[in-house]
């Protein structure tokens, strides 16, 4: 049997995980030196409270999952004779994957007849969410690990994301976004437009003044690389700014038609600790990243 794992940095909730048959790894963040594990230390993400804390000056820290914690997640399934596939957020964004590699090495020594496969979505938040749901549909159909990996080898690069950050304070503190070094500094009203490239690294590709201009620029960039956008699901994620997310969705419907399949989600707290409140992004099917 193949057991599917993913993680909370991909915006997957326990309800979605249960629907697809996934196991969920919690990616921690810390406030006032207290580590918090999403959906383990609390059952519901009260996102308005969380993002209001950030607006009021709280700057959470994120940290890696320990090798021992990964072993705790995986070992019971290996012991029961199952193989594992873990579809995760971008390896380029976190040191947690050093811990993962240590854990996998130890587990493979202990269970040499078992397999542990990994798939890097080269993304985070909405883009990982969109990719994982596509892989999850194949998993529910009973596809093998190798079939899922083959799909990922070509299709992951056919999904793209653009988003803007409202307050650069959070990105400035983030070790995940070294590619954004050139945009640091909170210039009033300036919004960097960011995407995640084919290597899974965030890069700044445009700067505009004002939220509406940022949304218009995002729609323009979506149009440049989208591929059959009306035939595929679209995910719009927001960090507690639903009205702007809905505005972006409406702009897309005005361009491509009212029957677009758009799902609106909230950015998880670990990723949200880096992008900060009021950020909005869109993940979609594309010709390329």
């Amino acid at each position: 049997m193949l057991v599917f794992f993913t993680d909370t940095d991909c915006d997957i909730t326990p309800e979605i995980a249960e629907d697809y048959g996934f196991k969920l790894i919690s990616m921690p963040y810390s406030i006032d030196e207290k580590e918090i594990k999403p959906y383990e230390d609390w059952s519901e993400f009260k996102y308005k409270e969380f993002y209001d804390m950030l607006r009021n000056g709280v700057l959470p820290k994120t940290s890696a999952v320990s090798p021992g914690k990964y072993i705790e997640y995986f070992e019971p399934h290996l012991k029961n004779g199952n193989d594992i596939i873990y579809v995760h957020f971008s390896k380029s964004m976190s040191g947690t994957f050093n811990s993962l590699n240590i854990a996998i090495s130890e587990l493979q020594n202990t269970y040499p007849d078992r397999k542990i496969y990994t798939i890097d979505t080269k993304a985070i938040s909405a883009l990982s969410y969109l990719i994982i749901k596509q892989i999850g549909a194949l998993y529910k159909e009973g596809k093998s690990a190798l079939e899922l990996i083959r799909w990922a080898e070509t299709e992951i690069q056919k999904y793209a994301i653009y988003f803007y950050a409202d307050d650069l304070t959070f990105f400035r503190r983030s070790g995940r976004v070294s590619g954004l070094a050139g945009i640091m500094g909170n210039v009033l009203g300036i919004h960097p437009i960011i995407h995640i490239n084919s290597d899974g690294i965030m890069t700044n590709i445009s700067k505009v003044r004002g939220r509406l201009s940022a949304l218009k620029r995002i729609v323009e960039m979506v149009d440049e690389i989208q591929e059959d956008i009306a035939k595929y699901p679209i995910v719009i994620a927001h960090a507690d700014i639903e009205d702007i997310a809905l505005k972006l969705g409406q702009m897309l419907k005005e361009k491509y038609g009212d029957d677009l399949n758009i799902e609106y989600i909230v950015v998880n707290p670990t990723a949200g600790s880096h992008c900060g409140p009021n950020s909005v992004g869109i993940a979609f099917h594309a010709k390329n990243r």
Side-chain angles (χ1 to χ4, degrees), residues 4-27 38-39 42 45 87-89 121 124-134 136 263 265-269:
F4 192 121
F5 276 86
T6 187
D7 57 65
T8 57
D9 263 4
C10 301
D11 288 338
I12 301 295
T13 64
E15 293 76 18
I16 293 170
E18 183 177 5
D19 182 48
Y20 283 92
F22 300 164
K23 306 296 180 184
L24 194 56
I25 293 174
S26 181
M27 291 293 160
Y39 302 112
W42 42 253
F45 179 27
V87 186
H88 54 74
F89 75 100
T121 61
I124 198 168
S125 188
L127 182 52
S128 290
Y129 178 93
L130 182 57
I131 291 168
I132 286 168
K133 288 189 77 173
Q134 300 305 300
E263 182 178 2
I265 65 172
V266 176
V267 178
N268 70 82

Side-chain angles (χ1 to χ4, degrees), residues 3 103 122 138 150 155 172 201 209 235 257-258 260 271 287:
V3 178
K122 300 183 184 296
L138 298 174
R150 281 198 294 270
E155 295 302 315
R172 185 164 56 242
I201 298 171
R209 186 178 295 277
V235 175
D258 287 337
L260 284 184
K287 299 171 188 173

Side-chain angles (χ1 to χ4, degrees), residues 63-228:
S63 57
V65 176
S66 70
K69 186 65 174 176
Y70 279 116
I71 290 170
E72 184 181 319
Y73 282 121
F74 295 154
E75 187 167 30
H77 303 283
L78 300 172
K79 189 177 292 186
N80 286 337
N82 299 316
D83 294 332
I84 287 170
I85 188 163
Y86 174 27
V87 186
H88 54 74
F89 75 100
S90 176
K91 195 176 291 186
S92 298
M93 293 186 187
S94 176
T96 197
F97 296 104
N98 295 326
S99 295
L100 176 65
N101 291 338
I102 292 169
I104 289 175
S105 178
E106 182 173 331
L107 288 167
Q108 288 183 327
N109 285 333
T110 306
Y111 303 94
D113 295 332
R114 302 272 54 84
K115 303 292 185 184
I116 303 174
Y117 305 94
T118 63
I119 294 177
D120 185 351
T121 61
K122 300 183 184 296
I124 198 168
S125 188
L127 182 52
S128 290
Y129 178 93
L130 182 57
I131 291 168
I132 286 168
K133 288 189 77 173
Q134 300 305 300
I135 296 175
L138 298 174
Y139 174 72
K140 287 181 75 171
E141 291 174 7
K143 300 296 185 184
S144 68
L146 293 181
E147 287 173 314
L148 298 179
I149 290 168
R150 281 198 294 270
W151 182 93
E153 284 173 349
T154 57
E155 295 302 315
I156 279 177
Q157 298 296 345
K158 299 296 292 290
Y159 290 88
I161 186 169
Y162 294 117
F163 66 97
Y164 78 79
D166 199 65
D167 183 346
L168 301 182
T169 300
F170 300 92
F171 270 136
R172 185 164 56 242
R173 296 180 69 254
S174 173
R176 288 187 186 170
V177 289
S178 58
L180 306 182
I183 64 166
M184 295 303 102
N186 253 352
V187 180
L188 185 63
I190 295 295
H191 297 291
I193 308 297
I194 300 162
H195 90 132
I196 301 177
N197 67 21
S198 58
D199 295 320
I201 298 171
M202 294 184 189
T203 59
N204 170 43
I205 55 174
S206 183
K207 286 182 276 190
V208 296
R209 186 178 295 277
R211 286 177 180 167
L212 183 58
S213 295
L215 296 184
K216 288 179 178 177
R217 182 68 184 119
I218 286 174
V219 171
E220 290 172 358
M221 290 189 291
V222 168
D223 193 51
E224 288 171 6
I225 66 168
Q226 64 84 18
E227 184 175 59
D228 297 328

